[in-house]
Amino acid sequence: MGTDCHHEDGAHPGIRGADLSHALVEAESRCALTQERLTTPRRRVLELLLKADGPLKAYDLIAAFGADGEPAKPPTVYRALEFLERLGFAHRIESLNAYVPCRREDQGHRAAFLICDCCGAAEEFEPDLDAPIAAAAPAGYAVRAVTLEARGLCPACQ
């Protein structure tokens, strides 16, 4: 949290309890539909992302991974993050070099983020990128990915 941030902690809470359990069951169901496995390490990383009150760096996930306080080996977490991104369960916020859970059910959507410069919260939204992507075609570009990140102050920090 920034030094000028004066709102209460928890202004952007992760999910817990029954909501967390439901999200993990839904993730397992989505994996089954694509014949993928939500292995124990993948599930743990997803759980940590869902519970987080903001974006997490890979090394935060590594440190928090073990239920008994033992950190994970970095390749375990990085492989889990790669899987979660590929299946649309998580997004990487480029400017923060951090990860957030995807808050949408539809796989393959275009994600963008509103990032608070004060508390570090990141809110996902789906931008309308049809025109910019269509403009790339006449120039010979085949757009593979777009990263859109807007920075400012969230309502709690304003």
Side-chain angles (χ1 to χ4, degrees):
M1 196 157 37
T3 56
D4 294 333
C5 201
H6 300 293
H7 64 77
E8 295 178 26
D9 286 341
H12 306 282
I15 62 174
R16 293 179 178 47
D19 291 337
L20 177 61
S21 296
H22 177 73
L24 292 170
V25 167
E26 285 295 314
E28 287 178 359
S29 296
R30 281 178 53 198
C31 285
L33 288 173
T34 59
Q35 298 183 0
E36 299 274 1
R37 290 185 52 232
L38 190 62
T39 62
T40 301
R42 293 169 178 172
R43 181 184 172 93
R44 178 65 176 148
V45 171
L46 179 58
E47 177 186 11
L48 291 170
L49 289 173
L50 289 166
K51 288 170 54 175
D53 295 335
L56 292 176
K57 294 182 179 285
Y59 278 90
D60 297 328
L61 292 163
I62 290 167
F65 187 86
D68 56 0
E70 284 293 313
K73 293 191 177 358
T76 300
V77 171
Y78 282 109
R79 281 193 298 268
L81 286 168
E82 181 182 303
F83 172 84
L84 295 172
E85 281 187 280
R86 182 171 55 83
L87 264 65
F89 293 118
H91 298 291
R92 182 172 184 266
I93 299 178
E94 300 289 333
S95 65
L96 300 177
N97 193 24
Y99 297 85
V100 294
C102 179
R103 300 292 186 182
R104 300 178 52 94
E105 294 294 323
D106 52 331
Q107 186 177 348
H109 68 280
R110 297 176 185 145
F113 298 93
L114 303 170
I115 302 167
C116 182
D117 288 326
C118 183
C119 70
E123 184 174 329
E124 181 180 349
F125 70 99
E126 187 164 353
D128 180 3
L129 295 174
D130 291 339
I133 289 174
Y141 282 85
V143 176
R144 186 176 38 110
V146 176
T147 301
L148 179 62
E149 301 173 11
R151 299 186 74 103
L153 294 176
C154 71
C157 292
Q158 291 181 36

